[in-house]
Amino acid sequence: MSTSVGILGTGSAVPALAVSNEELARRVPGAAPDWVVRKTAIRSRRFAAADEATSDLAARAAERALSDAGLGVDRVDYLIVSTSTPDHPQPPTACLVQDRLGAYGAACWDVNAVCAGFVHGLVTARALVADRPGAHALVVGADVYSRILDFGDRRTAVLFGDGAGAAVVGAVPAGRGVVAHELASRGDAAELIRVEAGGSRSPASPETVVAGEHFFRMIGRGVSEIVLAEVPPFVDKLLARAGVSADEVRHVVPHQPNGVLLGELVRACGLTAATTHRTVEEYANVGSASVPLTLDHANRAGRLRAGELVLLLGFGGGMSFGACLLRW
């Protein structure tokens, strides 16, 4: 691709309601605050208000990203929303965000690669912008997991929060922007992360509601095992494609599954020389929003310097994996 494409601006949004481990313990049997910290490093998370949905958080994050990029909504050609907790099965949440923003010149669609979705959307946006010089894409990751958690299951209920993050993608100076990317999927491990009912396989019914089949389910040990086995060689493949060593990467902005797994993964990938940016302690796992929200926090704190290599790393249900190496 002759056009260098990168991130022009970032934004994020979280609900106002902060839920501490102490507060959550009153709703989740067996979730003692010290147990949650020991197992996950999570101390707090945000939960959406009753009248707050995924599109609301997505639109707020998008507005902030456009402001950071210095662009008006009329400059958005593509609007991609990555979510596994859409407002509705139809229409696409991206179309609702478009309407909230007034970005009527944009083509809009949703991506569902669960927690890897933002990186998948970013890679798609990069290709579209490179193919159409002068175009801009707005890529948003947003999830409201509090709506689908089973608060009787401490293994999952303590891990998740709600939030959104966004990035504006466009042309950048030569030598900057996306250096390389890698995407992968393991459909044979799809059962590890799932919501069993509500689709064409098992439509919603009184029976599926009573059985709790609309709740998020995860086999945590299986997820940890496949992440630690698959992600390090996946990252090695990306770095080899880019022609750089792990020691040259200055920043890692990973999905935030839980703080303990995150530490193990960074060590297994050989990325300990880089700064690993973390928001999991304050916001928990916010699904597809984890990578862009964490990126926005690092960007606004001035931690990313021009010319430094930044690795975005997502992984989640499917199982799906996505990595994108940027020169900031």
Side-chain angles (χ1 to χ4, degrees):
M1 297 180 180
S2 58
T3 301
S4 295
V5 178
I7 291 175
L8 305 178
T10 63
S12 61
V14 294
L17 178 62
V19 180
S20 68
N21 289 338
E22 289 73 18
E23 292 171 282
L24 194 66
R26 290 193 281 270
R27 298 182 63 181
V28 182
D34 59 341
W35 176 84
V36 176
V37 173
R38 185 173 71 254
K39 291 291 187 179
T40 72
I42 297 168
R43 297 184 177 277
S44 181
R45 73 281 294 147
R46 301 293 180 96
F47 282 175
D51 61 349
E52 200 169 32
T54 298
S55 66
D56 299 312
L57 296 174
R60 281 161 46 195
E63 288 171 343
R64 291 167 183 170
L66 287 168
S67 177
D68 188 44
L71 290 178
V73 294
D74 58 317
R75 301 289 302 282
V76 179
D77 300 282
Y78 307 104
L79 202 170
I80 304 169
V81 172
S82 169
T83 185
S84 54
T85 58
D87 284 27
H88 316 281
Q90 296 183 41
T93 299
C95 292
L96 304 179
V97 175
Q98 177 198 46
D99 192 44
R100 284 281 302 272
L101 297 176
Y104 298 117
C108 308
W109 65 95
D110 288 358
V111 170
N112 183 1
V114 195
C115 302
F118 174 79
V119 177
H120 283 241
L122 178 64
V123 169
T124 301
R126 183 244 183 155
L128 291 167
V129 171
D131 188 57
R132 184 177 164 187
H136 298 94
L138 181 54
V139 185
V140 186
D143 273 308
V144 176
Y145 267 89
S146 63
R147 297 285 198 271
I148 60 172
L149 293 176
D150 179 357
F151 288 100
D153 178 9
R154 72 170 185 169
R155 297 168 300 174
T156 56
V158 303
L159 294 174
F160 292 89
D162 305 334
V168 177
V169 177
V172 295
R176 304 278 286 279
V178 176
V179 176
H181 72 270
E182 197 71 39
L183 304 175
S185 302
R186 279 285 305 274
D188 57 316
E191 78 283 352
L192 293 176
I193 297 175
R194 66 202 187 279
V195 175
E196 295 174 344
S200 62
R201 178 69 63 188
S202 181
S205 69
E207 291 76 21
T208 62
V209 172
V210 170
E213 294 177 0
H214 297 268
F215 288 132
F216 175 90
R217 302 296 183 193
M218 179 172 67
I219 302 172
R221 184 178 298 277
V223 170
S224 296
E225 289 174 354
I226 198 168
V227 165
L228 291 172
E230 298 282 344
V231 173
F234 178 74
V235 169
D236 289 344
K237 186 177 179 181
L238 169 68
L239 296 179
R241 184 190 300 277
V244 302
S245 69
D247 289 344
E248 294 177 81
V249 177
R250 291 290 173 262
H251 303 273
V252 181
V253 182
H255 173 50
Q256 311 279 309
N258 74 64
V260 175
L261 175 58
L262 190 53
E264 292 177 6
L265 180 62
V266 169
R267 289 190 293 272
C269 290
L271 293 167
T272 53
T275 298
T276 299
H277 297 275
R278 298 167 58 116
T279 54
V280 65
E281 291 84 359
E282 183 176 3
Y283 298 119
N285 181 341
V286 285
S288 193
S290 286
V291 171
L293 182 149
T294 305
L295 179 66
D296 181 54
H297 278 237
N299 180 34
R300 290 177 184 270
R303 295 172 184 158
L304 310 177
R305 299 180 182 276
E308 291 182 327
L309 286 173
V310 180
L311 176 64
L312 308 184
L313 182 61
F315 45 90
M319 292 288 291
S320 302
F321 307 92
C324 185
L325 187 66
L326 299 158
R327 190 167 296 281
W328 198 252

